Amino acid sequence: MPSCCPACVGARAATTFASLVASPQTFDTLRELTNPDPKYADHDVQRYASATVTPGQFVAIFKKVKTLDVGGSAPQTPLAKRTRAVQRLSVHTAST
């Protein structure tokens, strides 16, 4: 596509961006390149999480489940991935 005018440049940029976010995998790659701070991101899943908070730590367990089999039946082993994230917390006491 030629870059002879602003409209052509804009169309080319839109096409390039569209290809970067065309699939969940490429979107996650783009996100990791532009913002590496989030530790866990996956946009191609059905998932749920559970969390436990104590005074000393925060623990989250992310469970990714498989999609339905062809025909709509549940897969034999539905769990695809399990990720455990632990964040240690520092407890500060207020001085009186």
Side-chain angles (χ1 to χ4, degrees), residues 4-63:
C4 58
C5 64
C8 291
V9 172
R12 181 180 174 146
T15 302
T16 303
F17 182 74
S19 66
L20 289 172
V21 297
S23 74
Q25 294 81 14
T26 57
F27 179 77
D28 286 341
T29 300
L30 175 66
R31 186 215 37 90
E32 288 170 6
L33 292 172
T34 58
N35 186 3
D37 290 334
K39 297 194 184 308
Y40 303 100
D42 190 347
H43 295 88
D44 188 25
V45 297
Q46 297 295 318
R47 63 176 170 237
Y48 63 96
S50 61
T52 304
V53 181
T54 65
Q57 68 182 6
F58 172 82
V59 178
I61 299 173
F62 302 94
K63 294 182 181 177

